[in-house]
Structures are given as structure tokens and as C-alpha cells.
Amino acid sequence: MKAAVVTQFGSPLEIEDRVVPVPGVGEVLIRMETCGLCHTDIHAAHGDWPVKPTVPFIPGHEGVGIVEALGANVTGRVVGERVAIPWLGFACGECRYCIDGRETLCEQQQNSGYSVNGAFAEYAVASARFVIPVPDGISALDAAPLTCAGVTTYKALKVAGIIPTETVAIFGIGGLGHLAVQYGRIMGGTVIGVDIEDEKLDLARELGAEFTVNASTVDPVAAIAELGGADVAVVLAASPKVFEQAFASLKRGGRLICVALPAEGTMSIPIFETVLKGISIIGSIVGTRQDVAEVFALHLAGKTRVIAQTRTLDQVNAAMAEVLSSTVPARLVFQF
């Protein structure tokens, strides 16, 4: 099979011919149809984060494909069904986080395309318990971004506890942000889209944002203040400065939802304003299997649109450069 492999942090990925993997106990073999390119894949390839993958490894955690073989002791999956490989590749199922519905906090978790090989390949193996069935009626092209970009923003807006008519500012309109705008509207929020590209702001309005702010031409804090301030600010741009702008845009009782993971790793937040204005700062990490199922159900019901462009796996390095240059309207998806 053909696979895109990180052989050294910061170096271009190499397209290698590898033996098709064999599913182990509790695993399935999947023939990949699509895999979305997430900014996390780029962080992984660059070794940006404190806990780094072990090279060589295959990135990819928005994989969608057809089950071709079952490993020993697999139940609940069948050959021929379409499934998605999400970021949460495995969790123990027994710790307090797993049993109370917070499996993404499991300390024993494995992450697809990071701690275990992912879906930038023609075939992949994955835990049968943690792949997620893709409903009939959702294409492999749409399902791939929903598997991470969709569930990540959906969960972020769920934990924000939006009350209908509250103002929700989405900082960063792209692969994640274009879906966040839609979930904000679904949950009853009045959405403000914030970005530095007019094309992306036009897309935000098309998808339901009532207001947009171009942070390259105006101060987003002042612009949002003129609109009355934000009740919720969701940060999807990997920049500490954007986190600080998002915090400053909040009105009393506001919630800052931290999603993006800048390589710098820190932000500066004033304690007095946090306390006196009753601000909540909430970290949100992807979503559970149930969250993914809800994201698929919303899409199947016609509530969301996925904006994506396709690439081939041979174009992986050029595609990563496109994402870093912010020239991509929304999501890039590799088709196999």
C-alpha cells in the first residue's frame, strides 16, 4: 500500500510503499476512501507539542473507509460497512473518565495518527470499538471532516452551554470554523465570524453568521464591543494573540472556549477581569464517540454543509503548505 510517513520532524513527508497491515485482536482493517487534513497533523509532523509522536509514523485522524477484514474477537463490526477513524483511537473503558462520559480524557488513550498509525494511507488498522459507523447517505468526502473538524467544534459549542440568542464569536473561519458557525446557529446563538480573510468571512455569512469581523483591518475586540460583546468566544486559530483578543471580547459572565493548540503553548489572561467579570475559561478536546454520532445525525438531517476540496496523497506536502498559508477556504481531504 501507499502511505505518507513522517520520518523526521520538520521534514517533508515521504510517500512509501508498505505492506498492508494485519488487524490484531479487537481491530479491523479498513480500505481508506478519504482522509481529511487537520492542522493537528501538521503539528504532529513538525513535533510541535510537548508529547511528541514516535517517528516514523503515519498521520491522519479523519479517515473514512470500508471494513475489509476483522481481527480476532471483534463483534459489532462487519466486513463491507463504512466507518470513520477519529482522533480517539482507543480508551480503556474502565477509568472514571471513560465511565462518566468523558472518554477523551482517559489517561490510557491512544490517538490516531499520533501515538498509533493513522489514515494517510490506502489501508489502516484501528480498534473495532472506536471506529464509528458512517450512516448511509453521508458521503466519504463529507464524513472525513465531520470526524474531527465537525466533532471538535460541536463539542466545543456543547460545553459552552449556549443559551438561545446569546452571542457566539468564532475566531478562525476555516476547516473547523465553517462548521462551528453552523453549530452555533443550530444551538440558537447569534454568530460573529472573525478571520483575516474576506473570502472566509463571506463563507461564514453564507453559512449563517449574522456578523463578521476582519481582524486584519479592524480591532476585533472593539468591533465585537460595538456589537454588545460576546457571551461565548471559541478560539480555533493557533495564535496566543487570538486567545487574548477572544478573552477581551467577552462580556460579563462570558465563556472562553479554548480549542486550538498553538506551538507557543501559553496565553496571557488578566486575573482581575476574569474574576470581576465572572469569566469562565474552558478547554475542549475533540469529542466522544457519541458526539461523532450526533454530528453525523445532524448532517444526515441536512442541518450542516461541509466545504472541502480534494487532493491526492502524493500532494500531502503541498497540501500542508496550503493550510499553513491560510489560502484554503475550509477543509482539504485526500481521496484514495
Side-chain angles (χ1 to χ4, degrees):
M1 71 174 188
K2 183 186 296 182
V5 183
V6 176
T7 59
Q8 183 176 335
F9 293 129
S11 296
L13 276 67
E14 296 184 13
I15 304 299
E16 296 183 358
D17 288 322
R18 289 193 166 195
V19 175
V20 174
V22 176
V25 175
E27 294 181 332
V28 291
L29 174 67
I30 302 164
R31 174 177 53 81
M32 305 313 304
E33 298 177 297
T34 58
C35 185
L37 172 58
C38 179
H39 209 125
T40 294
D41 297 313
I42 301 175
H43 286 304
H46 290 176
D48 283 338
W49 294 340
V51 179
K52 304 181 190 306
T54 300
V55 293
F57 69 96
I58 301 170
H61 57 273
E62 288 186 352
V64 174
I66 305 299
V67 174
E68 287 220 339
L70 309 179
N73 301 334
V74 169
T75 59
R77 300 274 69 82
V78 297
V79 170
E81 71 176 323
R82 176 175 285 145
V83 296
I85 298 176
W87 170 254
L88 185 66
F90 174 82
C92 75
E94 299 176 353
C95 69
R96 60 171 294 196
Y97 303 110
C98 284
I99 63 177
D100 72 6
R102 295 180 293 167
E103 63 190 18
T104 55
L105 300 183
C106 175
E107 293 183 283
Q108 304 303 316
Q109 69 181 272
Q110 299 290 332
N111 300 120
S112 305
Y114 206 91
S115 59
V116 295
N117 281 330
F120 282 12
E122 292 175 322
Y123 289 85
V125 293
S127 167
R129 289 197 298 117
F130 282 85
V131 296
I132 299 161
V134 177
D136 292 340
I138 299 180
S139 70
L141 179 59
D142 281 0
L146 292 172
T147 299
C148 178
V151 71
T152 297
T153 51
Y154 175 71
K155 180 61 173 292
L157 289 160
K158 279 181 72 172
V159 301
I162 297 168
I163 298 170
T165 74
E166 283 192 316
T167 300
V168 179
I170 307 296
F171 284 77
I173 308 298
L176 277 76
H178 88 282
L179 288 159
V181 166
Q182 298 174 72
Y183 296 131
R185 286 297 305 275
I186 289 169
M187 295 178 188
T190 298
V191 176
I192 304 170
V194 184
D195 205 282
I196 59 173
E197 301 285 344
D198 284 332
E199 181 182 6
K200 293 181 179 180
L201 294 172
D202 291 342
L203 177 62
R205 282 190 174 272
E206 180 184 337
L207 295 174
E210 296 193 36
F211 306 98
T212 55
V213 174
N214 189 323
S216 70
T217 59
V218 300
D219 176 3
V221 177
I224 293 173
E226 289 181 7
L227 297 171
D231 296 292
V232 172
V234 181
V235 185
L236 307 174
S239 164
K241 179 182 178 181
V242 177
F243 280 82
E244 292 156 16
Q245 290 173 332
F247 177 92
S249 75
L250 292 168
K251 62 175 71 172
R252 289 175 177 268
R255 287 89 77 198
L256 176 66
I257 313 300
C258 303
V259 178
L261 293 169
E264 297 91 330
T266 59
M267 61 179 173
S268 178
I269 297 298
I271 296 172
F272 273 88
E273 285 84 346
T274 303
V275 174
L276 297 181
K277 293 173 66 176
I279 302 296
S280 298
I281 300 173
I282 303 169
S284 181
I285 175 69
V286 293
T288 65
R289 288 168 288 178
Q290 178 59 31
D291 292 322
V292 179
E294 292 170 12
V295 163
F296 283 159
L298 284 171
H299 194 69
L300 190 62
K303 303 293 186 181
T304 54
R305 287 173 53 197
V306 172
I307 309 299
Q309 298 177 357
T310 60
R311 299 290 187 270
T312 64
L313 194 61
D314 291 331
Q315 298 172 307
V316 61
N317 293 305
M320 287 184 171
E322 287 183 81
V323 171
L324 291 175
S325 69
S326 298
T327 59
V328 180
R331 208 58 156 180
L332 294 183
V333 177
F334 299 117
Q335 284 192 315
F336 297 92

